[in-house]
């Protein structure tokens, strides 16, 4: 396990899990939100993001945290292990609500209110994102995919490694 993706719906706890995995493995950790977003709530261009992502995935080892569906295939093709936090809509909705007002290491600012766009992403994840992920997991059978269906499963796994 040297090139690791942590995927899942917004609010699933990808960054929290990634930080714990980084602390256990000492693999370099990259939060895609910190690459895409600037502190002033604007973002870099797609081309610049794609260049930075290409640089990251070409490195010898990493943990990359973030969903960014447009880049699923590029990242899955480059990794050896995927952790998929496959939690229900309500768990993820609670996650995005619970982080309002919290400082987070994976974001260059603090959200002071619930973002309606994020709510829509959570509501649509099951229909729009999960089928794409399962198709890619099937296509890239050489990748180790570890799926957690509850926060407790993920916590138990990370505690025991």
């Amino acid at each position: 396990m040297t090139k690791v993706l942590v995927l899942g719906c917004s609010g699933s706890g990808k960054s929290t899990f990634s930080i714990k995995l980084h602390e256990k493995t000492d693999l370099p950790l990259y939060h895609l939100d910190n690459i895409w977003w600037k502190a002033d709530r604007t973002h870099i261009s797609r081309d610049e993001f794609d260049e930075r992502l290409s640089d990251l995935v070409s490195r010898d080892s990493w943990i990359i945290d973030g969903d960014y569906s447009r880049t699923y295939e590029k990242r899955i093709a480059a990794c050896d292990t995927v952790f998929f936090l496959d939690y229900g809509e309500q768990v993820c909705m609670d996650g995005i609500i619970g982080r309002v007002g919290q400082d987070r290491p994976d974001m260059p600012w603090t959200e002071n209110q619930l973002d309606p766009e994020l709510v829509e992403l959570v509501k649509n994840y099951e229909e729009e994102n999960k089928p794409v992920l399962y198709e890619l997991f099937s296509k890239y059978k050489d990748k180790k995919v570890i799926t957690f269906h509850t926060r407790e499963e993920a916590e138990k796994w990370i505690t025991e490694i």
Side-chain angles (χ1 to χ4, degrees), residues 37-50:
W37 293 106
K38 298 177 184 180
D40 66 359
R41 298 178 189 239
T42 62
H43 56 79
I44 62 176
S45 71
R46 276 188 171 205
D47 288 342
E48 185 178 352
F49 180 82
D50 290 347

Side-chain angles (χ1 to χ4, degrees), residues 6-22:
V6 180
L7 301 173
C9 183
S10 296
S12 62
K14 295 179 299 294
S15 297
T16 301
F17 182 85
S18 296
I19 290 166
K20 290 177 182 180
L21 187 62
H22 163 72

Side-chain angles (χ1 to χ4, degrees), residues 108-123:
W109 69 77
T110 300
E111 286 288 347
N112 293 316
Q113 60 187 24
L114 193 57
D115 180 350
E117 251 182 73
L118 203 52
V119 170
E120 283 306 305
L121 283 173
V122 171
K123 286 182 178 181

Side-chain angles (χ1 to χ4, degrees), residues 1-6 13-31 59 61-65 83 105-106 154-155 157-159 161:
M1 183 169 70
T2 58
K3 296 182 177 186
V4 180
L5 289 181
V6 180
K14 295 179 299 294
S15 297
T16 301
F17 182 85
S18 296
I19 290 166
K20 290 177 182 180
L21 187 62
H22 163 72
E23 289 169 353
K24 294 274 189 164
T25 64
D26 209 29
L27 291 169
L29 172 57
Y30 305 97
H31 302 288
R59 296 178 186 183
S61 63
W62 38 260
I63 299 168
I64 297 176
D65 143 37
F83 288 95
D106 60 315
E155 187 61 32
W157 188 92
I158 201 79
T159 301
I161 80 162

Side-chain angles (χ1 to χ4, degrees), residues 95-110:
I96 64 169
I97 291 168
R99 67 188 187 198
V100 171
Q102 303 295 314
D103 290 334
R104 298 168 40 207
D106 60 315
M107 285 294 289
W109 69 77
T110 300

